[in-house]
């Protein structure tokens, strides 16, 4: 089957790298680190690479893994660690 030859792209398109769909865990890591550093520009850039649903899932996964790691490190329950991180009284 015949396919037409690719038409030449303008210089502006050649210079720009192709945008690929972002890795949601990479986006979540950059987003959370940027938020922790107060870097709104970098956080917004990371968030723009994936859908809001994917970013939310990635941030949730990161939060769960971080709480588990802290709980193990402190020999406490994840429940205790989360309440302490959020400044809530022990229940």
């Amino acid at each position: 089957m015949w396919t037409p030859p690719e038409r030449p792209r303008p210089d502006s398109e050649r210079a720009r790298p192709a945008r690929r769909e972002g890795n949601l865990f990479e986006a979540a890591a950059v987003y959370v680190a940027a938020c922790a550093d107060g870097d709104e520009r970098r956080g917004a850039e990371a968030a723009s690479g994936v859908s809001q649903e994917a970013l939310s899932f990635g941030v949730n996964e990161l939060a769960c893994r971080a709480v588990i790691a802290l709980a193990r490190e402190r020999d406490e329950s994840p429940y205790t660690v989360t309440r302490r991180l959020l400044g809530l009284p022990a229940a």
Side-chain angles (χ1 to χ4, degrees):
M1 181 173 189
W2 181 83
T3 56
E6 188 175 319
R7 68 180 172 89
R9 295 185 300 172
D11 288 338
S12 61
E13 285 184 26
R14 263 185 250 135
R16 200 174 345 145
R19 182 179 172 148
R20 64 178 181 84
E21 185 64 28
N23 178 301
L24 73 100
F25 292 119
E26 184 177 331
V30 172
Y31 179 80
V32 170
C35 288
D37 285 341
D39 188 343
E40 291 180 25
R41 183 196 58 76
R42 194 171 51 147
E45 187 177 297
S48 71
V50 295
S51 71
Q52 289 300 307
E53 293 83 12
L55 182 63
S56 179
F57 175 80
V59 169
N60 182 64
E61 186 66 23
L62 177 60
C64 289
R65 291 179 188 198
V67 166
I68 289 168
L70 281 173
R72 288 179 181 160
E73 183 179 291
R74 297 176 180 183
D75 197 27
E76 297 177 335
S77 75
Y79 185 77
T80 301
V81 170
T82 56
R83 294 190 65 81
R84 186 171 293 145
L85 287 171
L86 293 171
L88 300 172

